[in-house]
Amino acid sequence: MVKERILSVDIFRGATILLMVLVNTPGTWSNVYGPFLHADWHGYTPTDLVFPFFLFIVGTSIAFSYKGRKVNAEVYKKIGVRTLKLIALGVFLGAFIIHFPFFKNFQDIRFPGVLQRIGVVFFFAAILFINLDWKKLIGVTAILLIGYWLLMTFVPVEGIASTLDRAPNNLANWLDVQVFGSHNYKADYDPEGLLSTIPSIASALLGIFTGLILTSKQEKKATILMGLGGSLLIIGHIWDIVFPINKALWTSSFVLVTAGW
């Protein structure tokens, strides 16, 4: 039996891919249209919406695929296999080059990455979804976002007060350097690092809630989603005052604003 397609999600997925193509192929990197560049650090541009939109779609897809499904060993196996495939493919692409010897030196291979994060986020979001009801998922989402905020703003780094700037005493940056060393995107930070993966799981969970609404028997789905989206935008921009919107750090305010859009 073929499941009915949800047109709005297909359109959203296609529009996100279109934006990704425009961002990744601007024609010339020497003169790029401003909105097709990432924000320097704090703040966001349309380009910064691409990745969180994909994670949001991962969440909606989880809701469509696993809602009402009987949980058994086979389901866990499929989730695990899909996760490992995404991580392995991400590491492979990070190591591959188009000329002989076709692979980078080991010390130059980047371990974190976009596909790796998608795999990890899919795993945790799917496991949470099949084991918890929507009320508990809301609690988990709140814990992830508030907990990350507290970690990033109140935990000192080697005795120095934490900062949200791109600096050695930024907790997310510091942890990535300690764990990955030269295998980061940059010498001092990675936009798909370890600690910032925690709130990115919340991006998928917010997509799950949207998927549940879309597949529910609610009559005013568009009105509900518009209200929730607007609320997330407002809360995210208010939170930005104390926890700046930042894609590289995947701050909690960034999660809410991007999910709101």
Side-chain angles (χ1 to χ4, degrees), residues 2-257:
V2 179
K3 292 185 177 181
E4 182 182 354
R5 303 292 302 185
I6 296 181
L7 183 60
S8 59
V9 176
D10 286 337
I11 292 173
F12 180 48
R13 182 185 293 110
T16 301
I17 292 173
L18 176 61
L19 180 57
M20 179 189 70
V21 171
L22 292 173
V23 166
N24 290 339
T25 54
T28 172
W29 290 106
S30 61
N31 188 23
V32 182
Y33 183 47
F36 291 160
L37 293 172
H38 289 289
D40 290 335
W41 193 245
H42 295 324
Y44 68 104
T45 71
T47 297
D48 295 309
L49 301 177
V50 174
F51 195 9
F53 279 5
F54 275 119
L55 293 186
F56 189 89
I57 293 168
V58 167
T60 59
S61 299
I62 288 172
F64 301 152
S65 299
Y66 295 100
K67 182 180 180 181
R69 177 179 290 190
K70 183 179 180 180
V71 179
N72 52 37
E74 185 64 23
V75 171
Y76 284 104
K77 179 182 177 181
K78 287 183 177 180
I79 291 172
V81 169
R82 180 172 295 181
T83 297
L84 292 175
K85 284 180 178 179
L86 286 166
I87 294 174
L89 180 59
V91 174
F92 172 80
L93 292 175
F96 183 77
I97 51 179
I98 60 174
H99 55 78
F100 185 82
F102 302 116
F103 289 96
K104 300 175 183 176
N105 294 324
F106 178 77
Q107 65 270 20
D108 298 324
I109 297 174
R110 181 189 174 204
F111 289 160
V114 170
L115 286 177
Q116 293 92 310
R117 171 165 287 184
I118 292 175
V120 171
V121 167
F122 165 75
F123 176 82
F124 284 105
I127 295 298
L128 288 168
F129 178 70
I130 63 177
N131 285 284
L132 302 176
D133 60 33
W134 67 270
K135 293 180 180 179
K136 291 178 181 177
L137 286 177
I138 290 177
V140 170
T141 303
I143 290 171
L144 292 176
L145 296 178
I146 296 173
Y148 183 64
W149 171 46
L150 296 176
L151 279 174
M152 289 295 295
T153 52
F154 293 104
V155 175
V157 177
E158 297 183 345
I160 303 174
S162 59
T163 181
L164 297 175
D165 295 328
R166 186 173 170 179
N169 57 320
N170 177 296
L171 183 61
N173 294 349
W174 177 84
L175 182 62
D176 289 337
V177 171
Q178 298 303 309
V179 174
F180 296 121
S182 65
H183 300 285
N184 279 336
Y185 175 67
K186 298 288 185 182
D188 59 346
Y189 92 103
D190 195 299
E192 284 82 47
L194 281 175
L195 199 60
S196 60
T197 299
I198 293 174
S200 67
I201 297 171
S203 294
L205 292 178
L206 291 170
I208 285 176
F209 298 135
T210 301
L212 290 175
I213 293 171
L214 289 172
T215 55
S216 71
K217 296 181 180 179
Q218 292 284 347
E219 294 182 357
K220 299 182 178 180
K221 297 177 185 179
T223 302
I224 293 171
L225 290 173
M226 286 290 288
L228 289 173
S231 299
L232 290 178
L233 279 169
I234 292 170
I235 297 170
H237 278 283
I238 292 174
W239 207 346
D240 172 62
I241 298 172
V242 293
F243 197 24
I245 296 168
N246 187 299
K247 190 254 181 199
L249 299 176
W250 213 277
T251 54
S252 303
S253 55
F254 176 77
V255 172
L256 295 185
V257 167

